[in-house]
Amino acid sequence: MKKQPNDLILQTVTTVISFIIILFSIDLFFAGHYTPGGGFIGGLMTAAALVLLLLAYDIKTLNTILPFDYRLMTAAGLLIAVLTGAGALLFNEPFLTHAYDYFDLPLLGKTSLHTAVLFDIGVYLVVIGITMTIIQTIGESE
C-alpha cells in the first residue's frame, strides 16, 4: 500500500485510536465469561486495530513494530485451545468441560479463575492470526 504524502494526521490519530481499540478488546476478552465478549470478539477487535495500523503505515512498519509470524500465532492458539479442551479427558470428563475455583488473590481479593480463560486465549490468538494472515495475503497479491 502506498503512503500518502501528508499522512501525519492519519498516523497520529491511528496510533491513539489503535491503543484504545486494543484496550477495549482486552476488556471484551476478560468480560466474556459474565457478559458478551470473549476470545473471538476480542481477537477481532485486536485484528481491527492492527489493520488500522496497517492502513495508516505500511506492512514493513507494522512488521517492525510487531514482528510476529501470524501463521505460527494461529498454530499456537489452536494448540492451546485443543489442549485446554482435551484437558478434561484426563479427568474422565467430556471434551471442553471446564473447571473453576475461587482464590484469594493479594490485590484482587476473592476471585474466580476458570480454565475457559485458557481456551479463550487460544481462540483469541487463532482469530488474530487468521485475520492478519488473510489481510497480509491480500495485500501482497496487489
Side-chain angles (χ1 to χ4, degrees), residues 6 22 33 50 57-58 74 105 112 116 118 137:
N6 296 320
I22 289 173
H33 300 293
L50 296 178
Y57 296 96
D58 58 352
T74 302
L105 300 177
S112 66
L118 296 174
T137 304

Side-chain angles (χ1 to χ4, degrees), residues 22-62:
I22 289 173
L23 286 178
F24 184 59
S25 75
I26 292 170
D27 181 59
L28 281 173
F29 174 82
F30 284 113
H33 300 293
Y34 302 109
T35 58
F40 184 77
I41 190 64
L44 281 179
M45 292 292 292
T46 301
L50 296 178
V51 169
L52 185 60
L53 284 169
L54 188 61
L55 291 173
Y57 296 96
D58 58 352
I59 189 71
K60 290 180 182 178
T61 306
L62 186 64

Side-chain angles (χ1 to χ4, degrees), residues 2-86:
K2 291 185 177 181
K3 293 176 77 172
Q4 300 288 332
N6 296 320
D7 55 356
L8 180 64
I9 294 173
L10 175 64
Q11 291 175 351
T12 305
V13 170
T14 296
T15 304
V16 173
I17 295 298
S18 293
F19 180 73
I20 293 170
I21 291 173
I22 289 173
L23 286 178
F24 184 59
S25 75
I26 292 170
D27 181 59
L28 281 173
F29 174 82
F30 284 113
H33 300 293
Y34 302 109
T35 58
F40 184 77
I41 190 64
L44 281 179
M45 292 292 292
T46 301
L50 296 178
V51 169
L52 185 60
L53 284 169
L54 188 61
L55 291 173
Y57 296 96
D58 58 352
I59 189 71
K60 290 180 182 178
T61 306
L62 186 64
N63 286 338
T64 302
I65 296 169
L66 300 170
F68 296 120
D69 183 356
Y70 294 107
R71 289 176 290 171
L72 289 177
M73 181 184 286
T74 302
L78 190 59
L79 183 67
I80 291 170
V82 168
L83 289 178
T84 303

